[in-house]
Amino acid sequence: QWEKMDDTYDVVHLGTENAKQFPIGANGGFKKTLLERFPEEEKAIDDFLLLVKNVRKSMMGYIGFKTFPVWLAKLLVKTGLVNYFTDYFKYASKTVKQTLDELTDNQDLKAVLSYSFGDYGVPPEEAPFTMHAMLIAHYYYSGGFYPVGGASEIAFHMIPVIEKAGGAVLVRAPVNQILIDSEGAACGVRVHKSSGDIDIHAPIVISDAGLYNTYQSLLPKQVVLKHGLDGLLSKVCHGVGAVSLFVGLRGTKEELGLKAQNCWAFTTNDLDAAYKEYLSRKAEDAGKVDVPILFISFPSSKDPTHEQRYPGKSTCTVITLCPYEWFEQWENERVMKRGKEYKDLKMSLAARMWEQTCRLYPQIKDKVEYFDMGTPITNKYYIGAPRGEIYGMDHNMARFQADMVTQLRPETPIPNLYLTGQDIWSCGLAGAVWASLLSANVTLNRNVIFDLINLKKKIGKNK
């Protein structure tokens, strides 16, 4: 079940002291609230929304292109015919910044229209407009939703479906190798166990571990070199690392005045310059000055069951991006045993992030009951992110060009081995779901996307 968030699902803050606020609403509310703040920029806003709409329309051709056989996709790219099939790559040829610079000179408006770059981790001057437009369109028409019971409910509801189909879900069973038979085909996986590794054989292996983990860590090196997979890795790069601050608060959402919405807080309207300066800092300076981008959310305020489960309590999550290198020296230390220097560094950054949060929400400052932060090496330990990234491969310009899109697909040159997940579509839950549909298309040899469209029509008729 999904609970709808407030109609104003995001609020953008620009500045440090007395920050300007810009509410972001769904559908007609998006344009309405922007026009209230920028009445002289109606044409720019309309042109932006038209571009978002056009990118959304081009997605059907993009989806079709991703489902084509590799030989056909390559032919379309080589001949340029792909641009007659979909306009997607035309819009992917410009960055977010280039696109907005052509629409307006108003720096505040450009910042507000760029605000959600933190959802995929690439600043406006480096991000393809298509990625940004897909994200805006994702929320624009219906707004934001939150899983009732919390994010863990997504996995809990998937498991019975898998088991009903005869599958099994294993935890604490880390895969450390994809098995390759004498014919060069994938034939199963090796699972690490303290008493001795266990081989599980299967006719098909589908990796959701990401491109880097699959090709750098799980496959034998000679297999990677034989198929030129190291060449593919040289064309992509890791996404930026992230830190996540988790705070437990005393008080209900009503008592604390918390809403079912997110906050994006920026120190300036020059998002690119501030972000670039921040990433160039030395680790020891990370918490000495304001962090230029913060995502602030109160998960408890979005979940209607939270008060029943945790009466009188609320939660806050604050996330920002940061270089893996800041924490890299401790990557091989034991979790929870990384020493005082590591703890001091992460808590210095956490304290600065919390101080900035409390400027916007002063009512929560003295309500803290729990306070801890995960760093990029936390992400590496718990979710296997090679460089602490939370969005997989970097969502830069190169990744969304036609030749690269042709290569980022479920099929691999290794028989019986397939890919799925964020790296073959885009980041987030929606990106992973679309990737799973592409993978199902290939492994089942049928168009499950059409199956779902037909099922939706059938359900609609029976209502």
Side-chain angles (χ1 to χ4, degrees), residues 202-269:
I204 288 176
V205 176
I206 304 174
S207 175
D208 190 27
L211 208 69
Y212 279 101
N213 280 332
T214 303
Y215 290 166
Q216 285 189 334
S217 302
L218 298 180
L219 283 173
K221 187 172 183 179
Q222 65 270 25
V223 174
V224 172
L225 295 176
K226 174 184 175 182
H227 294 286
L229 298 175
D230 54 327
L232 175 57
L233 289 175
S234 70
K235 298 176 184 177
V236 297
C237 57
H238 292 279
V240 68
V243 293
S244 305
L245 174 60
F246 304 102
V247 184
L249 301 170
R250 182 175 62 256
T252 66
K253 63 180 180 181
E254 291 83 9
E255 291 168 343
L256 298 177
L258 305 177
K259 298 180 180 180
Q261 59 186 205
N262 305 314
C263 166
W264 286 93
F266 301 92
T267 54
T268 174
N269 62 10

Side-chain angles (χ1 to χ4, degrees), residues 13 258 262-263 296 298 357-365:
H13 294 259
L258 305 177
N262 305 314
C263 166
I296 305 168
F298 300 93
T357 300
C358 291
R359 288 182 211 159
L360 302 175
Y361 302 93
Q363 71 273 27
I364 64 176
K365 184 176 182 179

Side-chain angles (χ1 to χ4, degrees), residues 70-250:
V70 176
W71 68 266
L72 179 56
K74 287 183 176 179
L75 178 63
L76 290 173
V77 173
K78 187 175 182 179
T79 60
L81 291 174
V82 66
N83 294 315
Y84 292 93
F85 184 74
T86 176
D87 287 333
Y88 181 89
F89 299 109
K90 177 182 75 174
Y91 296 113
S93 67
K94 291 184 179 180
T95 66
V96 175
K97 184 179 186 302
Q98 286 172 328
T99 303
L100 295 179
D101 282 347
E102 293 175 0
L103 298 180
T104 180
D105 294 324
N106 189 306
Q107 193 61 38
D108 278 356
L109 178 59
K110 286 191 280 189
V112 173
L113 294 178
S114 305
Y115 84 93
S116 53
F117 83 84
D119 272 328
Y120 52 87
V122 181
E125 67 180 4
E126 299 173 19
F129 181 71
T130 44
M131 178 64 230
H132 193 75
M134 284 193 296
L135 182 66
I136 295 292
H138 182 61
Y139 296 108
Y140 174 75
Y141 293 95
S142 301
F145 290 80
Y146 188 81
V148 175
S152 58
E153 291 296 311
I154 298 172
F156 290 152
H157 281 77
M158 290 171 62
I159 291 170
V161 177
I162 295 170
E163 293 178 335
K164 186 178 179 180
V169 177
L170 307 181
V171 296
R172 296 183 180 177
V175 172
N176 58 21
Q177 186 178 333
I178 294 172
L179 302 176
I180 305 295
D181 65 20
S182 58
E183 302 295 322
C187 61
V189 296
R190 181 162 293 160
V191 178
H192 176 70
K193 194 175 181 181
S194 57
S195 57
D197 292 354
I198 298 174
D199 290 351
I200 300 176
H201 293 277
I204 288 176
V205 176
I206 304 174
S207 175
D208 190 27
L211 208 69
Y212 279 101
N213 280 332
T214 303
Y215 290 166
Q216 285 189 334
S217 302
L218 298 180
L219 283 173
K221 187 172 183 179
Q222 65 270 25
V223 174
V224 172
L225 295 176
K226 174 184 175 182
H227 294 286
L229 298 175
D230 54 327
L232 175 57
L233 289 175
S234 70
K235 298 176 184 177
V236 297
C237 57
H238 292 279
V240 68
V243 293
S244 305
L245 174 60
F246 304 102
V247 184
L249 301 170
R250 182 175 62 256

Side-chain angles (χ1 to χ4, degrees), residues 147-150 300 302-310:
V148 175
S300 54
K302 307 172 191 175
D303 181 5
T305 69
H306 182 87
E307 180 60 23
Q308 303 164 22
R309 294 181 293 122
Y310 305 101

